[in-house]
């Protein structure tokens, strides 16, 4: 029987279950995402959603994976929202005990990075990790993944979600802004805050909100917000690419689904003679498959945690996550 590692994700709005072979093939990946029609994400309501869907998602996974030998359970123990993380942790501990297999703690950010790196040629790219909660440029150095450029205030995904709420959309709102942006024609002048290898989006958001109130065309505004923020990310990626001497860029995280961002980064990489790859759509947002994939990397090296010590870590930094396979 083929051996598998199961992976459970619950750090924010998504509860997901995935499974990965010891060869690194993700053979199962299902999830359910908490959404609202208006307003943002409420941690306790998202956690209630997770608690509601967890039993059936896990049951279906076990049913569908009957022909496999599940010999470890991995779980994203952080960083993330406490109430949400606890649902995943409780589910994973119970499952590990029931199956009599080791429990493997996975850092959520590390999983986004690694599932992107999996697609690369050099396996040593500049990772551009952009999601609802993160905007970070990450390099592997001295045995760890380290953030080398990032947002100084809110993440790009969060900025788009907040702007979406201003436009009257629910959560997650970023896809609505991206859709509306394709209908814009006029590029408005918005502040571009790039400081060295870092960016800042709060000034851009404030300007956009002010212009929205002044009655400007929302499509033009969405178009301008998207173009400006993506150009900022492309600019710091170019700076990190040059200063680090790396030969490849890997785009990962939920915002990797944005075709315009892919296009901008791809063009910049081509002009610089660097390689470029983007995480597959089904693995770009939060999902259990990427947790299972990293779980497998750990399991291959016999790494696990005692159930009694499997605490959730809401602020678990990427730099603190062990990388045993490089
Ligand atoms: Fe995420």
């Amino acid at each position: 029987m083929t051996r598998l590692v199961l992976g459970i994700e619950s750090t924010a709005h998504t509860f997901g279950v995935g499974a990965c072979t010891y060869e690194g093939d993700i053979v199962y990946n299902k999830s359910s995402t908490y959404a609202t029609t208006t307003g943002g994400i409420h941690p306790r309501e998202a956690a209630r959603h997770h608690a509601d869907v967890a039993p059936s998602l896990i049951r279906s996974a076990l049913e569908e994976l009957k022909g496999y030998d599940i010999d470890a359970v991995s779980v994203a123990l952080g960083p993330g929202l406490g109430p949400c993380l606890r649902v995943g942790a409780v589910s994973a501990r119970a499952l590990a005990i029931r199956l009599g297999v080791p429990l493997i703690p996975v850092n959520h950010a590390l999983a986004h990075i690694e599932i992107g790196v999996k697609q690369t040629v050099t396996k040593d790219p500049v990772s551009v990790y952009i999601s609802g909660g993160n905007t970070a440029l990450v390099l592997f150095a001295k045995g760890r993944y380290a953030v080398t450029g990032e947002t100084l205030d809110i993440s790009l995904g969060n900025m788009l979600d907040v702007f979406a709420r201003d436009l009257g959309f629910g959560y997650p709102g970023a896809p609505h802004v991206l859709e509306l942006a394709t209908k814009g024609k006029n590029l408005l002048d918005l502040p571009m805050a790039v400081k060295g290898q870092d960016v800042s989006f709060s000034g851009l958001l404030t300007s956009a909100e002010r212009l929205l109130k002044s009655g400007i065309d929302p499509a033009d505004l969405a178009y301008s917000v998207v173009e400006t923020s993506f150009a900022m990310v492309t600019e710091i990626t170019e700076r990190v690419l040059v200063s680090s001497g790396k030969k490849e860029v890997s785009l990962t995280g939920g915002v990797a689904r944005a075709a315009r961002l892919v296009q901008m980064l791809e063009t910049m990489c081509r002009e610089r003679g660097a390689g470029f790859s983007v995480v597959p759509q089904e693995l770009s947002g939060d999902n259990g498959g990427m947790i299972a994939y990293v779980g497998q990397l750990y399991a291959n090296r016999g790494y696990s945690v005692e159930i009694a010590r499997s605490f959730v870590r809401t602020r678990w930094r990427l730099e603190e996550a062990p990388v045993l396979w490089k």
Side-chain angles (χ1 to χ4, degrees):
M1 264 211 283
T2 308
R3 294 157 63 225
L4 287 184
V5 177
L6 213 66
I8 293 182
E9 159 62 35
S10 76
T11 58
H13 47 39
T14 298
F15 188 93
V17 183
C20 185
T21 69
Y22 277 75
E23 286 73 48
D25 297 320
I26 295 164
V27 295
Y28 187 88
N29 196 19
K30 296 242 165 81
S31 59
S32 170
T33 298
Y34 165 80
T36 68
T37 44
T38 53
I41 182 169
H42 306 283
R44 229 164 294 138
E45 281 175 30
R48 197 172 305 141
H49 160 269
H50 296 352
D52 284 345
V53 301
S56 64
L57 274 172
I58 291 172
R59 211 176 298 128
S60 324
L62 294 179
E63 189 63 32
E64 217 158 304
L65 297 170
K66 256 187 181 151
Y68 294 93
D69 174 18
I70 297 168
D71 71 357
V73 173
S74 55
V75 57
L77 287 182
L81 306 168
C84 298
L85 284 167
R86 282 188 279 279
V87 178
V90 167
S91 310
R93 288 178 199 129
L95 202 54
I97 291 169
R98 188 180 129 192
L99 299 171
V101 299
L103 183 67
I104 300 170
V106 172
N107 178 290
H108 177 83
L110 179 78
H112 275 297
I113 304 289
E114 275 298 338
I115 202 68
V117 170
K118 185 175 192 273
Q119 318 299 323
T120 65
V121 177
T122 62
K123 306 295 173 208
D124 187 28
V126 174
S127 289
V128 181
Y129 166 32
I130 306 194
S131 64
N134 293 274
T135 301
L137 302 185
V138 174
L139 298 175
F140 185 76
K142 294 180 192 149
R144 303 274 157 175
Y145 279 110
V147 174
T148 181
E150 62 188 327
T151 176
L152 298 171
D153 40 53
I154 54 174
S155 74
L156 203 170
N158 183 229
M159 186 271 289
L160 294 177
D161 282 334
V162 173
F163 183 57
R165 199 161 61 198
D166 296 333
L167 289 164
F169 297 116
Y171 180 89
H176 297 290
V177 177
L178 293 170
E179 167 66 26
L180 184 61
T182 62
K183 301 186 178 88
K185 287 182 184 66
N186 301 305
L187 187 62
L188 309 164
D189 194 23
L190 292 170
M192 236 182 123
V194 176
K195 294 159 192 165
Q197 296 182 164
D198 299 321
V199 286
S200 151
F201 294 114
S202 62
L204 173 63
L205 179 62
T206 308
S207 296
E209 287 176 325
R210 200 177 299 133
L211 284 168
L212 186 65
K213 279 191 199 123
S214 79
I216 217 147
D217 177 45
D220 279 348
L221 194 51
Y223 169 61
S224 307
V225 165
V226 167
E227 286 295 307
T228 307
S229 58
F230 288 0
M232 283 160 65
V233 168
T234 304
E235 188 171 328
I236 59 168
T237 305
E238 185 170 20
R239 288 182 185 189
V240 170
L241 187 64
V242 171
S243 68
S244 68
K246 304 271 183 192
K247 302 274 179 282
E248 193 168 16
V249 168
S250 156
L251 176 61
T252 194
V255 184
R257 263 171 285 188
R260 181 64 179 134
L261 179 60
V262 170
Q263 191 184 36
M264 280 193 194
L265 287 170
E266 203 165 31
T267 305
M268 182 275 288
C269 287
R270 199 183 316 118
E271 285 166 1
R272 285 269 167 204
F276 175 72
S277 70
V278 55
V279 71
Q281 291 229 354
E282 69 276 14
L283 295 168
S284 63
D286 291 355
N287 66 88
M290 68 180 186
I291 306 302
Y293 176 71
V294 174
Q296 164 267 144
L297 293 172
Y298 282 124
N300 259 321
R301 281 130 192 110
Y303 179 82
S304 65
V305 65
E306 275 174 57
I307 303 263
R309 301 193 54 80
S310 61
F311 310 115
V312 306
R313 299 171 67 180
T314 56
R315 294 178 183 279
W316 189 4
R317 294 176 60 237
L318 176 63
E319 285 85 347
E320 294 164 349
V323 182
L324 311 176
W325 46 88
K326 290 200 157 207

